[in-house]
Amino acid sequence: MNISLRKIEPTDLPFLYQWENDASAWADGANHNPLSQQDLREYISSTTGDIYKDGQLRLVIQSVRPQDGLTIGCVDLFDFDPRNRRAALGMYIAPEHRGKGVGHETLAKIEEYAFDFLHLRCLYAVIAQNNTACSAIFEYAGYIPSSPLKSWTLESDAVIWIKTR
C-alpha cells in the first residue's frame, strides 16, 4: 500500500475520536481515559502543524491510491528536543489496516521527514515488551533496542528503541 502523511484537518475528527477512544491501545500510549469530540476539536484547531511551535507533530496516514482515499492512522513526533535534535515517535494504525505494510511505510516516510527535513539525529519509541508486532516493525526499520524499562506500564515492561543518523 502506498501512503502519504499530511497535516491533521477538521474532517479527521471522526477517525481521531474512534482511535483515541480505542481502549485496547491505551496500554501502549499515554492516554488513559476517553476523549470527547470537543477535546479533539480543540486540539485540531489549536495545533499549528509546526513542531517548533507546538513541541509535537501529529500527521495523518492516508492511502495515496485515488480509489482508496482511506485514512489509515496517524503518526506522532513528540517529546521534541530541538537542542539535542531528537524526538519520540508513536504511531497508530487502524486495526483493519494492520499487517499490510503500513507501519513499515509510515516509518520510512516519517524518518525521511525527521532526519532529512527537520535534521533530527535521533528518533526513539517506547514499546511495551508484549507488543511484539510493533517491536518487529521497528527492528526491521533498523531501530536498536536500547534500554529496558521495568514495570513501565501495569501490563508490561517496555523497551526504548532508538535510531540515529
Side-chain angles (χ1 to χ4, degrees), residues 144-159:
I144 307 278
S146 172
S147 302
L149 302 168
K150 297 295 179 194
S151 301
W152 195 250
T153 69
L154 288 174
E155 296 80 9
S156 176
D157 293 344
V159 175

Side-chain angles (χ1 to χ4, degrees), residues 4-12 44-50 54 57-62:
S4 65
L5 302 178
R6 63 168 175 78
K7 184 179 172 184
I8 198 166
E9 299 173 352
T11 55
D12 295 317
I44 292 169
S45 67
S46 69
T47 187
T48 67
D50 183 335
D54 298 340
L57 176 66
R58 172 166 284 184
L59 298 171
V60 171
I61 306 164
Q62 188 165 4

Side-chain angles (χ1 to χ4, degrees), residues 50-152:
D50 183 335
I51 195 168
Y52 287 94
K53 288 181 182 173
D54 298 340
Q56 64 181 4
L57 176 66
R58 172 166 284 184
L59 298 171
V60 171
I61 306 164
Q62 188 165 4
S63 170
V64 296
R65 294 182 356 193
Q67 67 269 28
D68 290 344
L70 294 174
T71 301
I72 298 168
C74 55
V75 61
D76 298 317
L77 293 175
F78 61 99
D79 199 16
F80 176 56
D81 181 344
R83 181 185 180 278
N84 293 301
R85 297 189 345 227
R86 69 174 175 244
L89 169 64
M91 78 177 137
Y92 179 88
I93 309 295
E96 64 272 20
H97 298 290
R98 294 177 187 164
K100 299 177 181 178
V102 174
H104 295 288
E105 212 172 326
T106 300
L107 272 182
K109 294 236 186 247
I110 197 68
E111 287 173 11
E112 180 182 356
Y113 177 74
F115 290 133
D116 298 341
F117 184 76
L118 295 175
H119 303 289
L120 298 185
R121 60 182 196 85
C122 177
L123 288 175
Y124 67 94
V126 176
I127 302 173
Q129 211 165 33
N130 61 3
N131 191 342
T132 55
C134 189
S135 294
I137 291 168
F138 279 79
E139 184 173 23
Y140 182 84
Y143 286 71
I144 307 278
S146 172
S147 302
L149 302 168
K150 297 295 179 194
S151 301
W152 195 250

